[in-house]
Amino acid sequence: AQKVTQAQTEISVVEKEDVTLDCVYETRDTTYYLFWYKQPPSGELVFLIRRNSFDEQNEISGRYSWNFQKSTSSFNFTITASQVVDSAVYFCALSENAYGNNRLAFGKGNQVVVIP
Amino acid sequence: DTGVSQDPRHKITKRGQNVTFRCDPISEHNRLYWYRQTLGQGPEFLTYFQNEAQLEKSRLLSDRFSAERPKGSFSTLEIQRTEQGDSAMYLCASSRDVYTGETQYFGPGTRLLVL
């Protein structure tokens, strides 16, 4: 069963628009960690944000913000005032404490295309 | 801080040949992970090391795959008798081993094409 679901496959926005990426996860652990990574065309996965299951406080970091809601098992990510350099595939990932190895389970990714 | 590096970045091989990839983690990171990513999918866990010990292998890692991390520094991933289905991006990541849920930092990947 898919542990991380990212429903939208490709999202196109015009530059300066906001874009929100949805992530729904599934776990039985009470302690877990959620991540967002960015994969530009070069292929390298770039770490963006990390959240643990005990901290539902939503934050803003520059143009990035996230909305973590345990009640709905969602960890959504927003890019404000998008730029062409934001064009990439964005992955949501889950690390469950039960495994002890911190392996990441990734969603299928959201392809974001920012049109100038 | 030097990031995770991988070599080679691209590899084209013929079916049946053996290939070996190298990963150099961030120097103070004890944990090292290998993932495989096929087109249009997210990365999938293959195996991980804590220092030199290989502690877990995914079912995705068939007998043709072997990974090592001698002396707990760099790691190699070897694929023997490659098949066309092995064509993928192979990603290496490293992390500290201080807390659970430590952030994994990824290398640029090795893109393998088996003809």
Side-chain angles (χ1 to χ4, degrees):
Chain A
Q2 189 75 16
K3 288 185 176 286
V4 178
T5 303
Q6 295 178 251
Q8 314 123 298
T9 51
E10 182 166 329
I11 304 166
S12 294
V13 296
V14 176
E15 199 171 19
K16 297 184 183 177
E17 287 183 342
D18 298 347
V19 55
T20 294
L21 308 179
D22 298 330
C23 173
V24 174
Y25 61 92
E26 180 185 330
T27 180
R28 293 182 179 180
D29 280 5
T30 54
T31 303
Y32 53 89
Y33 302 84
L34 293 161
F35 301 82
W36 277 96
Y37 285 87
K38 172 184 178 181
Q39 189 173 43
S42 61
E44 182 170 351
L45 276 167
V46 178
F47 165 71
L48 296 177
I49 53 177
R50 170 184 180 269
R51 211 74 192 150
N52 72 57
S53 54
F54 295 107
D55 185 358
E56 286 191 75
Q57 183 177 351
N58 297 314
E59 290 186 17
I60 298 174
S61 175
R63 294 187 300 108
Y64 299 151
S65 62
W66 49 95
N67 185 346
F68 176 31
Q69 293 191 347
K70 286 177 73 171
S71 60
T72 55
S73 296
S74 65
F75 185 50
N76 299 338
F77 174 66
T78 297
I79 305 170
T80 303
S82 59
Q83 300 174 3
V84 173
V85 293
D86 296 327
S87 296
V89 181
Y90 291 81
F91 290 98
C92 180
L94 166 70
S95 174
E96 296 172 287
N97 193 48
Y99 288 110
N101 56 19
N102 294 334
R103 66 181 183 185
L104 294 171
F106 286 86
K108 292 188 176 183
N110 299 124
Q111 172 79 60
V112 172
V113 178
V114 181
I115 303 164
Chain B
D1 222 6
T2 306
V4 178
S5 61
Q6 292 186 247
D7 184 69
R9 295 289 306 275
H10 302 274
K11 179 72 177 179
I12 301 174
T13 191
K14 292 182 179 179
R15 189 177 55 179
Q17 298 294 305
N18 298 344
V19 294
T20 300
F21 310 141
R22 175 180 171 125
C23 170
D24 286 89
I26 293 171
S27 58
E28 66 268 23
H29 286 184
N30 295 333
R31 291 194 172 198
L32 186 147
Y33 301 79
W34 285 99
Y35 292 83
R36 181 172 69 186
Q37 184 180 21
T38 53
L39 206 59
Q41 303 295 317
E44 295 175 290
F45 170 80
L46 291 179
T47 187
Y48 100 103
F49 293 83
Q50 182 150 332
N51 300 311
E52 66 275 8
Q54 186 175 17
L55 297 186
E56 186 174 347
K57 295 193 287 187
S58 160
R59 285 175 295 176
L60 291 175
L61 217 62
S62 76
D63 292 343
R64 297 182 297 104
F65 287 71
S66 63
E68 294 182 343
R69 193 183 181 196
K71 302 178 183 178
S73 56
F74 70 92
S75 175
T76 58
L77 178 68
E78 181 183 16
I79 309 174
Q80 296 182 327
R81 305 180 304 281
T82 52
E83 302 173 355
Q84 288 182 327
D86 298 330
S87 295
M89 172 83 95
Y90 290 84
L91 292 160
C92 175
S94 70
S95 77
R96 300 182 312 169
D97 182 28
V98 178
Y99 305 106
T100 57
E102 290 274 9
T103 298
Q104 294 179 30
Y105 295 91
F106 284 79
T110 294
R111 199 177 295 273
L112 173 67
L113 177 61
V114 182
L115 300 176

